[in-house]
Amino acid sequence: MAGAWLPVTDIPAEGREFSFADQSLWTGPAHEHGLSLEVAEPLSATLVVIPQKRGAYIKGRLAGVVGMPCDRCAAAARVTLDHEFEYVDELPAPGEAAEDTWLRETKAGLELDAAGLLWEQLMLALPTHVLCKPDCKGLCAVCGADLNVAPCACAPAGGDPRMAALRGLKIEKK
Ligand SMILES: [Zn+2]
Ligand SMILES: [Zn+2]
């Protein structure tokens, strides 16, 4: 999304708070990155930006509920987000790579890419594993049946195909 550059240079020394509730800040890049993510309850974010000599101190919060497919069974899972963050962003020194900053220097002064920053914070806020429920049994690796609905006929309860292979090896050794 374009047009979310905050003019850091114009912010008074005591800082300023910005609020964001435009869902396309998150759904736009999610779509671009092919990430399956729906907004279940609107996301909202606040950013407090305090200008520093070569950057800004940034403190914020991102909250809302998103829908994502369960890692194990692909059913829709609700992920509640309430993520706080705080850090200092600085312009890279001359000659340094500009990879780790959301700042840029223009004729008008220092600007902060709020859209980039808020997308990155969503990525940081998401859990490593999305589960529809903590004890989701997932899909059978052999037949694809949803084991939350009923056990399938591929293996006895608790049977792991990899363990079965090991058991087979032991039998051959005898
Ligand atoms: Zn699941
Ligand atoms: Zn099966």
Side-chain angles (χ1 to χ4, degrees):
M1 175 182 149
W5 289 91
L6 304 180
V8 175
T9 304
D10 296 349
I11 298 173
E14 67 268 25
R16 184 175 290 161
E17 184 171 319
F18 299 87
S19 298
F20 302 87
D22 179 352
Q23 302 306 301
S24 70
L25 280 165
W26 298 284
T27 56
H31 183 74
E32 275 170 37
H33 290 87
L35 179 75
S36 180
L37 178 145
E38 283 170 17
V39 173
E41 285 173 32
L43 294 166
S44 63
T46 53
L47 282 186
V48 174
V49 181
I50 301 175
Q52 311 274 296
K53 199 183 270 181
R54 288 187 49 77
Y57 163 87
I58 294 154
K59 184 174 155 65
R61 179 165 177 249
L62 171 63
V65 181
V66 294
M68 294 179 77
C70 171
D71 280 356
R72 291 184 193 156
C73 74
R78 279 170 67 91
V79 180
T80 301
L81 304 173
D82 190 357
H83 170 67
E84 292 187 352
F85 50 92
E86 183 177 4
Y87 67 99
V88 173
D89 200 346
E90 277 186 326
L91 276 180
E96 244 178 58
E99 282 168 7
D100 296 328
T101 181
W102 294 109
L103 294 164
R104 72 176 179 190
E105 209 162 19
T106 70
K107 277 179 193 165
L110 209 53
E111 294 183 336
L112 176 68
D113 180 5
L117 185 163
L118 291 173
W119 167 249
E120 180 180 67
Q121 290 302 327
L122 173 62
M123 291 298 97
L124 294 172
L126 291 175
T128 323
H129 295 291
V130 174
L131 295 178
C132 60
K133 54 187 177 186
D135 60 346
C136 172
K137 295 187 178 74
L139 304 179
C140 170
V142 179
C143 73
D146 186 345
L147 301 176
N148 294 306
V149 178
C152 63
C154 297
D160 179 323
R162 288 165 297 180
M163 292 307 290
L166 286 176
R167 282 195 293 273
L169 278 179
K170 274 183 191 168
I171 291 162
E172 277 172 28
K173 272 185 184 174
K174 273 181 190 171

